[in-house]
Structure formats: C-alpha cells, structure tokens
Amino acid sequence: MINSILLTQALTVQTWTYILVGITFSLYIGIAIWARAGSTKEFYVAGGGVSPLANGMATAADWMSAASFISMAGIISFAGYDGAVYLMGWTGGYVLLALLLSPYLRKFGKFTVPDFIGDRYYSNTARFVGVICALLVSFTYVAGQMRGVGLVFSRFLEVDINTGVVIGMLIVLFYAVLGGMKGITYTQVAQYCVLIFAFMVPAIFISIQMTGNPIPQLGFGSELADDSGTYLLDKLDGLSTDLGFAEYTEGSKSLMDVFAITLALMVGTAGLPHVIVRFFTVKRVKDARKSAGIALLLIVILYSTAPAVAAFARTNMIETISNQPYTTVPEWFKKWETTGLITFKDKNNDGLIQYVADKNKNELVVDNDIMVLANPEIAELPNWVIALVAAGALAAALSTAAGLLLVISASVSHDLIKKMINPKISEKNELVAARLSSIVAVCVAGYFGINPPGFVAATVALAFGLAAASFFPAIILGIFYKRMNKEGAIAGMIVGIVTMLYYMLKYKLGWFDDVLPNKSEWWFGISPEGFGSVAMLLNFIVSISIMKLTPEPPKEVQEIVELIRIPSGAGEATH
Amino acid sequence: MLKDVLNEFKLFGFKLGFWFAQQGSMYVFVVLIFIYVRLMNKLDKKYGYDK
C-alpha cells in the first residue's frame, strides 16, 4: 500500500498520460475489432438495433466535442454571464430534436440526412444540395476536432503537434473504417464514460478544495472554504471589478444578440447531420424519443458542471498569477507559454504580472482553450488527475471526429454513389466505397488539422450557422407541411446556406474588405455567431413563397408524409 | 430576460437570474423532454400504436 502511494507520487504527468491514453486507446481498438461491420446497414446505422441507453450515451459522446470539453468552460470563464448562450443553445437543441425531429425521421427510416431530403423531395437535385450542405458542415467541424487532438498530444506528451494529429487520425481511421456506425456507436459509449469521468473528477476535487462542497453545481454557489463567509461568486465579482472587468455574473451582450445566438445554436444543434443520424440507429420510434432524453440528461451532467469549473478556474487563475512576480510563476505557466497559448509581456517593466481589462496596461493573454486543461494544474491536483483530463479531451475529440467522418463517408458512398451515380452497385461494393471514402475523409481532416486554415477559430460557429440555415427548415417543413415541394425546399436551402456563408466571410473573416468590418455594421446588431437564426428565417420565407408558386408534390409523397406522423410500424431502415 | 428582476433574489450564493441562465434552463430542458416522452407514450397506448 505504501509502495503504491510512493509509486503514484513518483510518476510524472507525462508517464501517467502515456498510461491512461494507452489504456483508453487499446479499449477503443478492442471494441472496434469486436464490433466489425459486415453489411451496409451495420456500417450506416449499426443495424438499427441499438438500445436507447447505449444510443443516448453514444449521442452524448458524439455531440460533446473538443469544443464542449476543452473550450466551453474556458469561454464561460472569460465571458461570465454571457457564456450562458452556449449552455442554453447547445442543450436546448435537444428539446427541438426530441419533439420535432428524431421520432419522425426514425419513422421515415433512412440512412442519412441527404437521403431523407432526396426522398422526401423526390428529387436528386435536392439530394445533391443536401450532400453538399452535409459535407460543408461536417468538414468545417471535423477540422477543429483534429486540431484539438493535436493540441492535447503536443502539450501532455510533448510531441510535435503534427505528430499528435497523425496519431489521432490513425486511431479514428482504424475504428471508423473497420466498424462503421456499429464500431463507432460502441466506442462512443466507452468514450462517454471516459470523458465524463475525466471532466467530473477534477471538478469535484477543486470544488472540495475551494468550497468544501463535493458537488460542483452547488459548490460554485457556496461559501469559500477559508471561513471568511464570503460566497465564491461574490468574491469573483469583486476580483473582476477590481481588475476593471465587468462583474462576472452580469452580461454585456445585447438582448437581441443573445436571443439570436441562442436560437442559432439550438436550431444548429438540431440540424447537425451527425447528431440526427444517431437516431436512425434505434429500433423503434419510441426509442428515438427516449434516447434523445437520455442523451440530453447525460450531456447536462457535463454542461451544468462547466459553469462551475469556469468560475473556479477564473478565481484560481486570478488569485495565483495576478500581480505576482514573473520569476516565481508555477511550472504550468511556463509550459503553456511554450505552446504560445499563454503570452506575457512586461509592459511597465516591474516584473509583476498585471492582468487587467484595460488593453494598454494588460500584460497577460490567456487562450480560452487552456482553462480546462490547465485547471487541475493551477489547483495543484495530483498528476494522475491531470493526465486523466488529457485522456478525456482526446475521447471527446475522437468520438466527435468519428461521428462526422461517418456522415461524410455515408453521404459520398450512399447518396452520391449509390443513389445518384451507380444505383446498381452491389452491397459489397458499396461497403468498400464507404470504407474508401472514410479513408479519404480522414486524410482531408488530418490535412486541415495540420495546416489549419485561418478560420479554425470560427469553424464551430460556422458549422452551426450552416446547419441551421440549410437543414433545419427543409427537415421541419418536410415533416410537418404536406404541401411542401422540391422547388421550395431546394431554393430555401441554397438561399439559406449562401446568405450564411456570405455573412460569415464578410463579418467574421473580413474577406470582402481590407479590414474586418466593425460591429456597428452588423445587420440588426446580430453577430456572425447568431446570424444562423436570420439565415434560417430567410430559408423558411423563401421555401414557402416559392412553394406557393409551384405545383404540389405528387400524391405518393403526400401520403408518406401523413404516415410519418403515425409512430407504429416503423420498419427496418431501407434503401 | 428577466435576469435583472431575478437577480434581486438570492438562492444561497447564486443570483437567481444568473442561476437560471447557467443552470436552471438546462434542468428545465431535461424535464421537458421526459414529460414529452411520457405524454407521447401514453398517447401511443391510447390509440394502440405501441406495438
């Protein structure tokens, strides 16, 4: 016993990371070999026989990406009250999914989202537009994930960031290509367990350390453990205002913008093809509803902890480094400095770190993304906890990347090749095509991970905006509006996605002007992150007006739409 | 939206508006879905679609 304690302390963070990452990776590979896919049905929708609980866990892991695990608490930590838009937007999307989409889409019984679009709107043009939207959304999203993998590897295993991306690619390649949806589903179940454990353990440790309350959700509303009787959040408000920042619990975004961003994120979540496709894997319509509920419950475990982590991390960070001499900063500070994610410039040459809101006096820049990763180090937790966070971040990034790659390969092999180019392809060849396209997709994703285009930071917002602007209206109208025809849907999707792209490029990346346009030029004062809501409304308006001017859809299609609303008799997913 | 009014109240160490934004809203979402699931299952049973 004593030996093992000594051993525990002797191991460095790096050794621990090798051990934990090694164990989790072998677990994923083991599952992949056990769950090889033999048919296209297994490859695309895991054979349609996944239980609601397993599907809920897989959906949660699929959904919680590097952005949720690594970036979200960091963003909240710096944004304070305003960070709530991400929490509400990303969880609220599941209410839309459970109530409006998942049961009906499951009843329709298809393999992919473009497949639904193509069949419901009886047109291969619609299918093609769907494929393009799905590829655009998924590729922008997956590039960010690979980057996350590279970041974790480079910091904790101290390898080159590119080597990290390549290792990540190989692992995903292995289980996504071999197992398809079936392999991905069961690895995602394992990855959910790893990531939630990795997120909760340090949060609980820090909560006990700071407030004496083991439940982080309650902890950040409790009194500090130092017997001063002050509440943590009051203290944080005080620290923030002392340094010239706004109070942590007060917001600064305009109401209109908060509303627009929250709506865009909600609708975007509900329109993401890799999330929707998860609900095609359960047996019955009833199970689709239930697993959406389970997924949200499991997601909320992490999402409700994130604001607590954010508040702890912010308080801890300010207390540890604000106004401290640079020469005595802790080791983690130096290590993150080498990755370029913390920068310090002694502007007034007093040797102290001034961290203040005034941009001319502030000497410290801390990247959003490192708050969760650095948090256990800042709080001086044991080495194995720090390594656990690294393993959890990898699980989050890999599970999402795998889900996205599947959407990409299914769109290509099923929708492009089977439904459009060569309908007579045999099942065996289709499976080969699916595997080949996922190999190509991994390589493209890896390329973007290694050579990130300038817009990686904007990609998450972009992907949600695109999903909200393209798929959501087409799917909703397809389910609930019998009269909706192909002309309306195609025009709506194109107008929606083009407007969204234009706004993003102009106001987020500044492609059309020499300098990035000022906030005051935003349409209706809505930020690019929130513009997805406007583009979505535009899509609805265009779809409905064009529909009124063009002929009704054929009788058979209208009958199918009637049938979708009846939950029973959801057959097997068919070609 | 009601944040400023709600922030007048305190629930232990939380300002209530802040709590709803960063915690309460999410719990409400979860509860909403499970209520919906229950209601729909009941409806399905009533009309004999639960087979």
Side-chain angles (χ1 to χ4, degrees):
Chain A
M1 185 66 199
I2 292 173
N3 274 339
S4 71
I5 291 174
L6 283 176
L7 189 70
T8 320
Q9 285 175 341
L11 293 178
T12 61
V13 174
Q14 204 177 349
T15 325
W16 269 113
T17 313
Y18 275 115
I19 296 173
L20 289 177
V21 170
I23 294 175
T24 50
F25 277 24
S26 355
L27 178 68
Y28 307 151
I29 291 176
I31 294 174
I33 294 172
W34 168 73
R36 279 186 315 274
S39 65
T40 48
K41 196 174 172 211
E42 285 188 344
F43 194 91
Y44 294 138
V45 292
V50 178
S51 78
L53 178 65
N55 190 50
M57 287 169 87
T59 311
D62 197 23
W63 162 243
M64 288 190 286
S65 59
S68 296
F69 192 93
I70 303 176
S71 313
M72 193 174 63
I75 295 172
I76 300 171
S77 191
F78 289 98
Y81 176 86
D82 286 336
V85 295
Y86 295 99
L87 296 167
M88 289 190 287
W90 284 340
T91 51
Y94 278 83
V95 180
L96 296 178
L97 257 177
L99 269 56
L100 301 177
L101 302 178
S102 70
Y104 303 101
L105 289 175
R106 174 64 194 86
K107 175 70 195 295
F108 201 82
K110 288 293 154 198
F111 283 166
T112 67
V113 175
D115 207 12
F116 169 81
I117 305 264
D119 282 13
R120 165 63 182 81
Y121 295 116
Y122 49 97
S123 141
N124 267 348
T125 320
R127 188 188 305 272
F128 185 71
V129 175
V131 170
I132 298 294
C133 296
L135 291 182
L136 261 175
V137 173
S138 304
F139 268 118
T140 41
Y141 213 99
V142 82
Q145 305 306 317
M146 296 319 278
R147 195 71 193 161
V149 173
L151 179 78
V152 173
F153 271 114
S154 70
R155 168 61 183 80
F156 290 98
L157 300 182
E158 290 170 24
V159 295
D160 183 47
I161 197 161
N162 295 348
T163 321
V165 173
V166 174
I167 301 175
M169 273 169 64
L170 289 176
I171 297 287
V172 176
L173 194 66
F174 189 80
Y175 69 76
V177 172
L178 201 63
M181 188 55 136
K182 200 174 162 204
I184 289 176
T185 303
Y186 293 106
T187 30
Q188 279 174 339
V189 170
Q191 280 159 338
Y192 176 78
C193 302
V194 172
L195 80 87
I196 201 73
F197 187 67
F199 199 85
M200 296 307 289
V201 166
I204 292 170
F205 262 103
I206 297 174
S207 184
I208 294 175
Q209 200 179 59
M210 292 185 72
T211 63
N213 193 327
I215 301 166
Q217 284 87 339
L218 299 175
F220 85 124
S222 307
E223 292 172 14
L224 289 163
D226 59 6
D227 292 329
S228 59
T230 5
Y231 285 114
L232 178 94
L233 285 170
D234 289 342
K235 172 152 184 194
L236 186 51
D237 277 345
L239 283 173
S240 304
T241 40
D242 285 348
L243 299 174
F245 296 99
E247 264 186 56
Y248 187 80
T249 52
E250 294 293 329
S252 58
K253 282 192 163 79
S254 77
L255 184 63
M256 184 70 188
D257 200 24
V258 167
F259 193 72
I261 296 179
T262 311
L263 183 66
L265 293 175
M266 276 188 194
V267 174
T269 303
L272 281 178
H274 72 285
V275 175
I276 294 178
V277 74
R278 289 239 46 104
F279 296 99
F280 296 167
T281 64
V282 292
K283 264 207 191 84
R284 293 167 302 178
V285 171
K286 207 172 143 181
D287 298 337
R289 293 195 286 256
K290 194 168 162 200
S291 69
I294 294 173
L296 182 64
L297 180 68
L298 296 175
I299 291 170
V300 165
I301 296 177
L302 188 145
Y303 271 46
S304 60
T305 313
V309 170
F312 296 145
R314 179 111 183 130
T315 316
N316 249 337
M317 191 194 79
I318 296 178
E319 290 205 311
T320 335
I321 50 180
S322 176
N323 262 327
Q324 299 296 316
Y326 179 66
T327 44
T328 61
V329 290
E331 196 194 354
W332 59 265
F333 191 94
K334 300 269 184 204
K335 279 199 173 167
W336 283 107
E337 250 188 326
T338 56
T339 61
L341 295 172
I342 289 184
T343 50
F344 167 68
K345 204 171 130 213
D346 199 356
K347 286 179 187 158
N348 57 0
N349 291 319
D350 63 352
L352 299 177
I353 300 171
Q354 263 91 33
Y355 178 57
V356 289
D358 184 344
K359 282 213 173 80
N360 296 319
K361 288 189 188 143
N362 181 35
E363 301 177 342
L364 178 75
V365 180
V366 180
D367 193 280
N368 280 340
D369 289 349
I370 69 167
M371 287 308 261
V372 167
L373 298 176
N375 199 19
E377 292 174 286
I378 302 179
E380 295 172 341
L381 297 184
N383 286 345
W384 65 270
V385 180
I386 300 170
L388 187 63
V389 172
L394 288 173
L398 291 178
S399 59
T400 309
L404 289 162
L405 290 172
L406 193 87
V407 167
I408 295 171
S409 72
S411 302
V412 172
S413 66
H414 186 70
D415 294 307
L416 267 186
I417 297 180
K418 185 178 163 75
K419 291 286 173 100
M420 293 173 72
I421 298 172
N422 178 11
K424 290 201 189 85
I425 191 168
S426 72
E427 176 161 331
K428 210 172 147 207
N429 286 340
E430 194 188 339
L431 198 57
V432 173
R435 289 195 161 125
L436 283 180
S437 37
S438 53
I439 294 177
V440 175
V442 172
C443 296
V444 176
Y447 174 81
F448 283 127
I450 292 170
N451 306 301
F455 48 84
V456 155
T459 50
V460 169
L462 183 64
F464 282 96
L466 292 175
S470 58
F471 284 128
F472 188 75
I475 297 174
I476 285 286
L477 292 171
I479 294 171
F480 293 100
Y481 199 6
K482 233 173 25 176
R483 172 75 173 75
M484 196 63 217
N485 59 13
K486 62 176 176 188
E487 290 84 356
I490 296 171
M493 280 195 288
I494 294 177
V495 169
I497 205 155
V498 169
T499 325
M500 183 62 213
L501 272 175
Y502 169 78
Y503 198 83
M504 285 296 306
L505 296 178
K506 185 169 169 66
Y507 292 100
K508 186 86 188 177
L509 306 170
W511 280 16
F512 303 122
D513 307 274
D514 298 332
V515 286
L516 194 65
N518 193 278
K519 274 185 179 186
S520 58
E521 290 176 35
W522 287 352
W523 304 359
F524 323 111
I526 292 174
S527 58
E529 285 80 7
F531 193 73
S533 338
V534 180
M536 175 196 73
L537 280 182
L538 203 66
N539 182 337
F540 271 117
I541 295 168
V542 170
S543 297
I544 293 172
S545 1
I546 299 274
M547 178 271 293
K548 293 272 182 210
L549 302 172
T550 43
E552 286 194 19
K555 274 270 158 334
E556 311 88 78
V557 174
Q558 300 201 24
E559 275 164 23
I560 294 175
V561 180
E562 286 276 313
L563 269 178
I564 300 182
R565 316 229 182 113
I566 300 172
S568 72
E572 305 272 290
T574 49
H575 287 273
Chain B
M1 287 162 219
L2 293 170
K3 173 183 62 128
D4 291 330
V5 189
L6 288 174
N7 272 355
E8 298 298 311
F9 301 99
K10 277 214 150 188
L11 185 81
F12 304 102
F14 292 111
K15 289 178 182 167
L16 205 52
F18 177 79
W19 185 84
F20 264 105
Q22 294 207 342
Q23 296 275 300
S25 57
M26 291 186 282
Y27 302 137
V28 173
F29 292 151
V30 175
V31 172
L32 252 175
I33 293 191
F34 280 105
I35 292 176
Y36 168 79
V37 169
R38 277 198 60 176
L39 286 177
M40 286 308 271
N41 284 347
K42 235 188 231 163
L43 258 182
D44 287 355
K45 227 171 238 153
K46 189 170 159 199
Y47 293 98
Y49 286 136
D50 61 333
K51 305 280 151 39

